[in-house]
Amino acid sequence: MNEASSLAEPCFPLPRRAVVTGAAGFIGSHLAQALLGHGVTVIGVDRRSAETDPSAAANLAALHQHPGFIPITADLSTCAIEPLLLDADVVFHLAGIPGVRPSWGPRFHDYVACNILAAQRIMDAATLLRVPRLVVASSSSVYGHTDGRPSTESDPVRPASPYAVTKLAEEQLCLAHATRPDCATTVVALRYFTVFGPRQREDMVVHRILAAAVEGRPFPIYGDGSQRRDFTYVQDAVAATISAATAPIGSAVINVGAGTTFSLLDVIKHARYLTGRPVVTEHSPRRHGDVPATCADSAAARRLLGWVPSVDLVTGMAAQLATLTAAHHNATL
Ligand code: NAD
Ligand code: UGA
């Protein structure tokens, strides 16, 4: 097993100049950091900035010091896109609104603008500028309710939440553009399976369970905790994403998940073991649109991207806990 924080060696030649949208976010900031570590120039676009958003500031802290990082604060649903993409070898389009449960609420228009409309605008500009490759962040949520067996990319899709509908629309929109005769851009849509690790979003379950243990407050559990997720460590997700930039393939949809699942009760057990503290649970009803299980068939990622995930749940949770404990310590000084 690799160190949870180490950078995997790239499987394919690296791009020279990359655009990362959503660079102030959880996965985007790790991706930008890894690309910079490999000597790639990164144009990091996000509508949040370090000046106005503390969580963006924490995500961007390591990037801002790097000479190869060019930060741009812009809203992709309204800004001019073409100047951002000039001379790019690849666009990693990770910007979007990610939560499953809030997508039922009044913010749905933001999901449509940021997940669908922004993708259309990026794809139009990429086509016009003949950017060779667009890698777009899709989601395991497009599969919806499954029987718990590993989902393959050719399985039927049955999105169970408005969020999942927008992610399916996003990937299919980009793939449809890629079939146009005038389009020189190939699209690789990566269906990420519940990504975790340092700087995970605060609404996500591993963060919430570890934070509850560290801060000694109750963890709200939606349902009975038997729901299972194919948890994917962020550096593993980043390794697949970097390979997707230059892998010698045509347009494709590829799962990014290891195919091993854990229940929330398992995550709680590991959190107790890692922190040496209790996790007090507060039960509330299962949320509508929450699927009982996600599980990836990772054969395509292995075959097309040479992807082999290397960090398991406990090792990755330990790395996430270390970051969280340090942040908690600084906040209480
Ligand atoms: P995140 O919220 O941490 O990052 C997304 C970033 O996109 C944010 O910084 C946000 O400000 C930015 N953004 C949103 N709309 C924008 C716009 N209109 N213009 C510019 N910037 C905009 O989310 P994340 O967990 O890092 O997820 C990244 C991507 O991966 C999302 O597209 C999400 O749907 C997808 N995804 C994430 C997971 C996961 O487990 N985290 C799993 C499957 C798919
Ligand atoms: C996650 C991401 O948030 C999505 O952006 C992503 O698209 C999706 O994974 C994916 O794999 O495609 P989700 O599975 O809802 O979505 O991940 P979490 O928010 O970490 O929730 C996991 C489970 O924990 C859910 O069943 C949720 O109901 C439960 N949960 C979450 C709780 O019981 N309590 C909480 O406080 C938070």
Side-chain angles (χ1 to χ4, degrees):
M1 164 130 353
N2 290 352
E3 287 292 309
S5 58
S6 70
L7 278 183
E9 274 308 303
C11 292
F12 301 105
L14 286 158
R16 187 184 39 87
R17 186 177 169 91
V19 174
V20 175
T21 74
F26 163 45
I27 306 174
S29 63
H30 280 280
L31 172 63
Q33 205 171 340
L35 288 166
L36 291 165
H38 288 305
V40 179
T41 298
V42 174
I43 296 92
V45 188
D46 206 292
R47 68 177 180 177
R48 298 188 299 158
S49 76
E51 287 73 35
T52 55
D53 186 309
S55 140
N59 289 342
L60 289 167
L63 303 178
H64 275 312
Q65 294 154 14
H66 203 291
F69 185 62
I70 304 167
I72 298 195
T73 306
D75 188 327
L76 294 162
S77 60
T78 51
C79 71
I81 308 276
E82 283 153 34
L84 307 173
L85 270 48
L86 284 175
D87 201 26
D89 300 317
V90 58
V91 177
F92 296 101
H93 180 44
L94 273 66
I97 309 293
V100 174
R101 293 165 293 282
S103 67
W104 297 103
R107 280 193 72 198
F108 182 64
H109 70 277
D110 211 21
Y111 283 78
V112 172
C114 298
N115 296 356
I116 305 178
L117 185 58
Q120 157 84 17
R121 301 181 85 244
I122 294 266
M123 197 57 211
D124 272 342
T127 304
L128 191 78
L129 295 170
R130 302 183 76 76
V131 176
R133 172 77 40 97
L134 175 83
V135 180
V136 60
S138 185
S139 156
S140 73
S141 64
V142 302
Y143 293 113
H145 295 262
T146 67
D147 59 10
R149 277 182 293 189
S151 299
T152 65
E153 291 82 353
S154 56
D155 280 355
V157 283
R158 298 189 193 88
S161 68
Y163 163 74
V165 171
T166 64
K167 293 308 284 185
L168 183 61
E170 179 177 1
E171 59 159 55
Q172 293 300 318
L173 189 60
C174 295
L175 289 160
H177 274 277
T179 65
R180 281 164 45 180
D182 61 332
C183 183
T185 305
T186 47
V187 169
V188 179
L190 298 178
R191 292 180 177 164
Y192 294 128
F193 283 65
T194 313
V195 182
F196 76 106
R199 310 200 297 267
Q200 190 189 40
R201 295 188 340 254
E202 292 187 0
D203 59 295
M204 292 188 72
V205 82
V206 176
H207 174 89
R208 287 208 168 168
I209 291 172
L210 288 172
V214 169
E215 292 162 20
R217 52 184 169 76
F219 162 67
I221 191 164
Y222 306 147
D224 62 6
S226 65
Q227 59 266 55
R228 302 183 77 81
R229 291 290 179 271
D230 193 344
F231 293 100
T232 310
Y233 190 64
V234 65
Q235 297 294 358
D236 284 330
V238 162
T241 309
I242 293 178
S243 293
T246 56
I249 55 176
S251 292
V253 175
I254 304 176
N255 288 337
V256 178
T260 45
T261 69
F262 294 88
S263 70
L264 296 202
L265 298 178
D266 294 329
V267 177
I268 290 171
K269 187 182 72 190
H270 294 325
R272 285 197 189 111
Y273 162 73
L274 289 168
T275 61
R277 290 163 180 247
V279 178
V280 178
T281 52
E282 219 169 47
H283 284 268
S284 70
R286 190 183 78 81
R287 297 302 199 251
H288 190 61
D290 235 6
V291 294
T294 65
C295 181
D297 181 319
S298 60
R302 241 188 345 267
R303 185 166 40 84
L304 301 174
L305 304 179
W307 186 64
V308 185
S310 60
V311 179
D312 65 19
L313 180 63
V314 180
T315 310
M317 280 180 70
Q320 185 166 343
L321 175 65
T323 315
L324 200 128
T325 312
H328 182 69
H329 178 72
N330 290 341
T332 52
L333 278 181

